[in-house]
């Protein structure tokens, strides 16, 4: 098979009528260009240029190859333009993995900002629980994924490159008219006599509640098992019980519930929100751009002012 770089040298020399001019255009020395041309003629099995006192002239075979070289050069330049457009984020795709809490809070804002800047990138979002998201990353089904962990289930996976986006503290959800609403913070040990709304189907937040209550010295009395956070809020508002939830899960808070922070040192865990990708695969330009957007959006959700706003006028009750 003919060497493409040598074929492009022949094309330049034919167009310019000079091997020296072709060498200069391609960043080569004249002696190196002459050597490469001789190697190309060996590959072709026949002369491709005639060396004249001033410049060169292609043989019929050389002229035919130079014409092919022009077409190859056009395709190579088009290929480079395609790569440049991907780097400039004018086209391409991005596959994201996410879990429901992130999909209902920080991800929509990140997607809006990203699409405003990079409208040519096609985005696909796949939802899943933590184990499913990790598998998607391992198999390459998604390019990057939003993940979470608690202190007792840290993501210690050398196959994943993880970026810590923000900490998501656990808060207490109580009815708007609850006597607890006037407290600046609460202690979990003071809530042993309360009824609790818990997440159903072995949801991670159910594990958080049981672990936290047991660490505080009591077993929670379960009044209702909910299947989503809006349902849990509704049951809290109705006075059926109180609930624990990650703050990020309550960005759409009902007006008839209040969110209370826990006192410092209280065993109410904070989860980490993480962005992960397969460590063995370099991040694509779209993935790098999305990571920058997610880091910026995460700062907004972690801001103290937002925290106070989400806690929802605790003192005003």
């Amino acid at each position: 098979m003919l060497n493409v770089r040598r074929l492009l040298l022949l094309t330049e020399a034919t167009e310019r009528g000079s091997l020296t001019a072709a060498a200069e255009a391609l960043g080569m020395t004249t002696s190196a260009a002459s050597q490469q041309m001789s190697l190309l003629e060996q590959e072709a099995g026949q002369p491709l240029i005639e060396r004249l006192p001033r410049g060169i002239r292609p043989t019929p075979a050389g002229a035919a190859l130079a014409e092919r070289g022009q077409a190859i050069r056009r395709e190579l330049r088009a290929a480079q333009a395609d790569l440049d457009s991907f780097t400039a984020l004018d086209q391409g795709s991005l596959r994201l993995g996410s879990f429901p809490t992130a999909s209902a809070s920080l991800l929509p804002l990140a997607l809006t900002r990203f699409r405003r800047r990079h409208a040519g990138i096609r985005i696909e979002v796949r939802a899943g629980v933590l184990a499913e998201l990790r598998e998607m990353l391992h198999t390459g089904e998604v390019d990057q994924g939003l993940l979470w962990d608690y202190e007792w289930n840290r993501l210690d996976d050398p196959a994943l490159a993880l970026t810590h986006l923000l900490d998501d503290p656990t808060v207490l959800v109580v009815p708007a008219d609850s006597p607890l609403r006037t407290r600046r913070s609460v202690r979990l040990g003071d809530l042993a006599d309360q009824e609790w709304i818990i997440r159903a189907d072995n949801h991670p937040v159910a594990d958080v509640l049981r672990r936290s209550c047991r660490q505080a010295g009591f077993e929670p009395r379960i009044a209702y098992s909910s299947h989503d956070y809006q349902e849990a809020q509704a049951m809290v508002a109705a006075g059926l019980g109180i609930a624990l939830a990650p703050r990020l899960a309550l960005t759409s808070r009902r007006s008839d519930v209040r969110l209370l922070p826990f006192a410092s040192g209280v065993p109410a865990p904070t989860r980490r929100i993480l962005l992960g990708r397969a460590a063995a695969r370099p991040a694509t330009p779209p993935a790098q751009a999305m990571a920058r957007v997610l880091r910026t959006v995460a700062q907004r959700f972690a801001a103290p002012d937002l925290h106070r706003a989400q806690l929802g006028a605790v003192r005003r009750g």
Side-chain angles (χ1 to χ4, degrees):
M1 182 178 293
L2 297 176
N3 182 284
V4 173
R5 290 181 62 84
R6 294 168 188 158
L7 182 56
L8 294 178
L9 172 62
L10 172 63
T11 302
E12 289 286 341
T14 298
E15 291 176 345
R16 298 173 184 273
S18 167
L19 195 57
T20 300
E24 185 177 348
L26 296 175
M28 304 169 63
T29 65
T30 301
S31 60
S34 180
Q35 182 182 29
Q36 292 299 309
M37 186 60 66
S38 296
L39 290 172
L40 180 62
E41 289 180 321
Q42 292 178 24
E43 292 173 347
Q46 58 187 296
L48 299 175
I49 61 172
E50 297 177 19
R51 289 170 169 80
L52 305 174
R54 296 177 65 86
I56 61 99
R57 178 172 61 204
T59 66
L65 276 185
E67 187 175 348
R68 295 286 187 183
Q70 290 174 340
I72 292 171
R73 186 176 59 192
R74 284 194 297 270
E75 288 300 316
L76 289 174
R77 288 173 175 172
Q80 185 61 56
D82 285 344
L83 290 176
D84 292 343
S85 69
F86 279 104
T87 303
L89 300 176
D90 293 329
Q91 61 176 308
S93 63
L94 177 63
R95 299 165 301 166
L96 281 168
S98 184
F99 58 98
T101 301
S103 297
S105 54
L106 63 89
L107 184 56
L109 180 56
L111 289 173
T112 299
R113 291 188 179 186
F114 184 91
R115 296 176 78 89
R116 189 182 302 134
R117 300 172 187 174
H118 311 297
I121 302 297
R122 181 181 179 274
I123 299 178
E124 178 184 347
V125 180
R126 307 291 294 274
V129 298
L130 185 60
E132 293 171 338
L133 293 169
R134 291 178 66 178
E135 183 65 15
M136 291 179 199
L137 287 168
H138 289 153
T139 61
E141 187 175 346
V142 296
D143 302 306
Q144 57 189 171
L146 288 163
L147 309 168
W148 56 266
D149 68 10
Y150 284 100
E151 183 179 359
W152 61 84
N153 70 337
R154 290 293 189 223
L155 284 175
D156 185 16
D157 188 341
L160 297 180
L162 301 173
T163 299
H164 178 212
L165 295 178
L166 75 154
D167 289 327
D168 187 20
T170 298
V171 296
L172 183 67
V173 188
V174 303
D177 59 355
S178 168
L180 296 170
R181 72 188 188 279
T182 57
R183 298 191 185 184
R184 296 182 63 88
S185 62
V186 294
R187 301 189 63 81
L188 198 55
D190 297 336
L191 306 175
D193 60 344
Q194 296 285 333
E195 299 284 342
W196 292 87
I197 311 298
I198 199 170
R199 288 297 303 270
D201 304 324
N202 297 315
H203 191 276
V205 172
D207 187 32
V208 169
L209 174 65
R210 290 193 171 96
R211 284 175 177 270
S212 300
C213 291
R214 288 167 186 166
Q215 191 172 352
F218 68 95
E219 192 71 26
R221 299 202 309 266
I222 308 303
Y224 187 80
S225 297
S226 69
H227 292 276
D228 60 54
Y229 288 110
Q230 284 301 112
E231 182 185 8
Q233 288 188 67
M235 293 300 102
V236 170
L240 195 60
I242 60 177
L244 292 185
R247 190 184 73 199
L248 205 60
L250 301 168
T251 51
S252 297
R253 180 179 60 83
R254 292 173 59 105
S255 61
D256 48 6
V257 300
R258 295 291 181 267
L259 311 183
L260 306 182
F262 284 99
S264 59
V266 170
T270 293
R271 67 176 179 176
R272 298 188 307 171
I273 307 299
L274 309 164
L275 181 64
R277 64 171 178 84
R281 290 190 292 274
T284 64
Q288 293 173 15
M290 177 58 80
R292 290 192 294 269
V293 172
L294 281 167
R295 286 194 295 267
T296 300
V297 170
Q299 291 175 2
R300 173 175 173 178
F301 278 86
D305 289 344
L306 178 65
H307 189 176
R308 286 193 290 269
Q310 286 180 324
L311 292 175
V314 171
R315 285 180 291 178
R316 294 197 298 271

